[in-house]
Amino acid sequence: MTDPVFGITITRDNTDPRPVVASDLSVVGLIGPAPAADPNIFPLDTPVYMASSDPAMLTALGAGDLQEQLSLLNDQLADYEVAAKTVIVRTEEGKTEAETIANILGVEADRSGLYAFLLGGPELGVIPRLIGVPGYTHQRNGADANPICVALPGILDKLIGHAVVEGPGTNATAIKAWRETMNSSRLIPIDAWVRIQAGTEAVSAPGVGAVLGIGVRRDYENRGVPGKSFANQAVQGILGPNRFVAFSLTDGATEGQDILSANVGVLLRGELGVETAIADSGFVFVGTDNAGTDPLWQFYSVTRMRDYIHLGLLKTLRLYLGGNNITRQTVQALLNTASRFLRDLVATDDILGFKVGFEPNKNSPENLRLGKLRFYFQAEEPPVLRRIDIDSRRYEHALEILIADLAADTNDLTG
């Protein structure tokens, strides 16, 4: 018996609602060959953490595609935002493009290639949840899907992340044919190839890094909450799009609108003096959709926001497991924890509303005896404003007012 006969005991009550600690969904993962990298700092098929603007790490990564993509990413960051958290996986460059793609795919059992990202959490303490495979998601063999786009959804399901994947950058027909090979709400398809300055030459490059950078900036501007789309955002640090895409805000038959209708984001030019252009000047990314087919979950800002809610609840409610019994107080604490988290998201307009509840018909005595408890929450993420319809009409009543005003004015005229 450890209780004192004559004394004082203090017991901490653990049935209070807990504050939810949110997860970081803005960590970027980039993968691909980097032949000029220092192998001691960037070993093959190994996740390496770096701040995207760290000069020593950029030097160690060496000149090449991944360094260019990090530069593009950094060009999009917000005021006072110094760098993005990034996880780099360097893969071996093959003798052919097919070999390079095979090396990027990697082997699940070896945790090589794409599967190396799964080691980010246990080995680095950060999990990349915005993935880019610049330059290697558009290739196809005939009518087949791109192998990297095929492999990514399963890996992203484990990471609870999204990947920005880029199409062929040629024409609407080819881009839509590429898009048809995908069906995953964790893929964000884009067609945004850019031209950048590489030494003394202007070269074509994937726009993946730029779009990832916009995503990091938008999350940063929203306190780390990933509820905003990347659409209608200026793209910095580029000479221009790799090709001109015709676009009009009012004409759905333009190529840009046609590509957007296939859920693929596009990079557009501003056009001075053209009211139907996306902007007066500069270059603008437009894209709101993921590659899923369920209209309820079509916006990547919605699916990323739901990931944010799920991960926040997961990190917090796990603290109740084992340490608490199923009692009225415990159940109420669980419901209150979820409710307070969602209430705060409503207050900041990250969700529109919510409901948390306990359903008796889904909680049998048998399951309760086994330590199994079920409750639910409902939440509604705000949809992206992507279309405004204006009804323009004549206003005859204004003429009636004019006549009345004139009559009153003329009646006041006296000699």
Side-chain angles (χ1 to χ4, degrees):
M1 180 175 178
T2 59
D3 286 344
V5 175
F6 181 84
I8 298 172
T9 67
I10 299 174
T11 303
R12 187 168 61 185
D13 187 348
N14 282 321
T15 58
D16 281 349
R18 299 175 184 271
V20 171
V21 179
S23 295
D24 187 352
L25 271 71
S26 306
V27 178
V28 171
L30 283 176
I31 184 172
D38 183 337
N40 296 313
I41 297 178
F42 291 97
L44 288 172
D45 298 302
T46 303
V48 176
Y49 174 78
M50 65 173 285
S52 63
S53 61
D54 184 325
M57 294 297 283
L58 287 170
T59 300
L61 187 57
D65 293 344
L66 290 184
Q67 192 185 81
E68 288 176 350
Q69 293 298 305
L70 286 171
S71 179
L72 268 178
L73 187 156
N74 290 331
D75 286 337
Q76 318 310 318
L77 299 181
D79 291 346
Y80 309 111
E81 191 178 14
V82 177
K85 298 177 182 177
T86 60
V87 174
I88 305 296
V89 174
R90 183 174 74 91
T91 56
E92 190 166 9
E93 186 171 37
K95 295 179 180 178
T96 65
E97 189 173 63
E99 287 184 3
T100 298
I101 289 175
N103 293 334
I104 293 172
L105 282 172
V107 178
E108 184 172 8
D110 298 339
R111 286 297 193 261
S112 59
L114 288 169
Y115 297 96
F117 284 130
L118 299 175
L119 299 173
E123 292 191 0
L124 304 177
V126 292
I127 300 174
R129 292 197 164 107
L130 274 177
I131 304 298
V133 193
Y136 295 100
T137 57
H138 67 278
Q139 296 88 343
R140 299 172 62 204
N141 183 12
D144 291 344
N146 175 273
I148 290 174
C149 291
V150 171
L152 274 169
I155 296 169
L156 293 167
D157 282 341
K158 295 179 177 67
L159 294 172
I160 316 297
H162 289 69
V164 176
V165 294
E166 189 151 44
T170 51
N171 56 64
T173 300
I175 293 163
K176 289 193 292 183
W178 166 79
R179 163 65 182 94
E180 287 175 352
T181 65
M182 290 176 277
N183 182 2
S184 171
S185 61
R186 295 205 171 277
L187 298 179
I188 303 173
I190 68 168
D191 200 76
W193 290 77
V194 299
R195 292 189 66 74
I196 59 174
Q197 192 71 28
T200 60
E201 297 182 357
V203 299
S204 175
V208 172
V211 176
L212 290 171
I214 292 171
V216 172
R217 187 187 77 235
R218 294 287 279 166
D219 291 355
Y220 176 82
E221 292 170 340
N222 199 40
R223 314 167 320 282
V225 181
K228 305 295 185 183
S229 87
F230 315 158
N232 205 7
Q233 299 296 303
V235 176
Q236 309 294 350
I238 65 173
L239 300 174
N242 195 49
R243 71 184 187 94
F244 174 74
V245 176
F247 178 81
S248 168
L249 289 170
T250 58
D251 186 358
T254 55
E255 184 184 13
Q257 292 281 10
D258 187 31
I259 295 172
L260 287 167
S261 72
N263 318 112
V264 180
V266 293
L267 179 60
L268 304 170
R269 288 180 177 273
E271 299 177 73
L272 194 63
V274 180
E275 289 81 0
T276 56
I278 190 62
D280 287 334
S281 59
F283 314 108
V284 177
F285 173 75
V286 177
T288 60
D289 296 358
N290 59 50
T293 56
D294 186 346
L296 286 179
W297 301 98
Q298 192 70 76
F299 298 140
Y300 58 76
S301 57
V302 170
T303 52
R304 293 187 72 225
M305 190 66 213
R306 187 54 61 110
D307 285 346
Y308 180 82
I309 295 172
H310 288 170
L311 291 169
L313 292 175
L314 182 65
K315 287 177 66 174
T316 305
L317 298 185
R318 67 187 178 187
L319 300 175
Y320 288 94
L321 294 172
N324 295 76
N325 294 327
I326 298 178
T327 64
R328 182 175 300 170
Q329 290 85 354
T330 298
V331 173
Q332 194 60 57
L334 292 172
L335 299 180
N336 287 343
T337 295
S339 179
R340 292 180 182 185
F341 177 44
L342 297 170
R343 176 200 63 193
D344 290 345
L345 294 176
V346 170
T348 53
D349 289 332
D350 292 305
I351 61 174
L352 299 177
F354 72 92
K355 183 179 180 181
V356 176
F358 175 86
E359 296 172 304
N361 62 321
K362 294 186 178 179
N363 288 273
S364 67
E366 293 79 10
N367 277 336
L368 291 180
R369 278 182 166 175
L370 294 173
K372 297 179 180 180
L373 174 73
R374 179 184 291 265
F375 75 93
Y376 74 90
F377 81 89
Q378 296 173 261
E380 188 65 25
E381 292 83 358
V384 181
L385 176 60
R386 65 174 182 182
R387 174 168 160 169
I388 301 171
D389 295 322
I390 302 171
D391 294 324
S392 175
R393 300 169 180 159
R394 300 294 294 270
Y395 185 51
E396 184 181 21
H397 183 58
L399 297 176
E400 295 172 353
I401 295 173
L402 176 61
I403 292 170
D405 288 344
L406 289 172
D409 291 343
T410 53
N411 286 338
D412 291 336
L413 298 176
T414 58

